[in-house]
Amino acid sequence: MTSELKRSDSELKIPKIGVALLIKDKRGRILFMKRKGSYGEGTWALPGGHVEYAETLRQTAIREATEELGISIWEFSLINKGYREDIMSDRHYITFYFGVKDYNGEIKIMEPDKCEKIQFCFLDEIPSPIFDITENWLNGLKYADDIE
């Protein structure tokens, strides 16, 4: 193995691909999670995560919903303008946003080492601070009618 293959993703400057889940309750509030133990700790973000090797975006969405929230999503699709690319000085993310229409199970924190709290809220009530990638996407909503 070459030394280059031993480097971390950030050293190799490889973009990370992820999915974010837009889950609403019956009142139309969106689910946010307070991050813990990783990049963006203490910020509020949509549920989701990185695509694993040989995994499709849809498979990632299904896996992340189960791993993070204990639910099975079965009716979901990319939302209007459902992807965003964020290039920062030390990170490059490509995130695909899925609107979840229906799911089975009760939402709960399944990974307490990665999530401190979950909360449904309207867009104008999101607690601060907001995860930078989520905030960039939300700022884009000011110019589009993205959320059904």
Side-chain angles (χ1 to χ4, degrees):
M1 182 181 282
T2 67
S3 61
E4 189 171 305
L5 291 177
K6 293 179 184 176
R7 294 183 188 163
S8 71
D9 286 354
S10 61
E11 290 172 331
L12 289 174
K13 307 278 189 233
I14 296 172
K16 293 187 182 275
I17 300 171
V19 301
L21 304 174
L22 195 73
I23 301 170
K24 292 183 176 182
D25 66 7
K26 288 179 170 69
R27 293 178 50 201
R29 299 176 304 171
I30 299 170
L31 180 67
F32 285 87
M33 304 176 75
K34 189 170 186 182
R35 297 173 63 90
K36 181 179 173 186
S38 65
Y39 174 70
E41 181 169 14
T43 62
W44 290 87
L46 297 170
H50 296 115
V51 176
E52 294 181 356
Y53 181 74
E55 186 176 58
T56 68
L57 295 173
R58 290 183 64 79
Q59 289 168 334
T60 302
I62 291 167
R63 176 181 52 77
E64 290 291 347
T66 302
E67 285 178 2
E68 292 187 355
L69 304 169
I71 60 172
S72 298
I73 59 174
W74 55 276
E75 189 178 347
F76 61 101
S77 60
L78 277 174
I79 64 167
N80 183 25
K81 300 183 192 253
Y83 110 94
R84 176 162 179 87
E85 190 164 8
D86 291 282
I87 302 172
M88 297 161 270
S89 61
D90 62 339
R91 300 186 188 295
H92 181 177
Y93 287 100
I94 302 168
T95 308
F96 293 85
Y97 294 84
F98 285 92
V100 177
K101 306 247 190 281
D102 209 351
Y103 61 89
N104 291 322
E106 181 182 335
I107 293 175
K108 57 187 170 238
I109 297 172
M110 298 298 292
E111 297 176 310
D113 56 320
K114 295 180 180 180
C115 175
E116 182 179 325
K117 185 177 180 181
I118 55 178
Q119 179 176 325
F120 281 97
C121 50
F122 293 109
L123 287 178
D124 60 351
E125 301 173 341
I126 302 168
S128 291
I130 302 173
F131 186 51
D132 55 6
I133 293 170
T134 302
E135 186 171 30
N136 291 342
W137 178 74
L138 288 167
N139 286 336
L141 295 180
K142 294 175 184 173
Y143 308 105
D145 201 14
D146 287 352
I147 301 178
E148 296 177 2

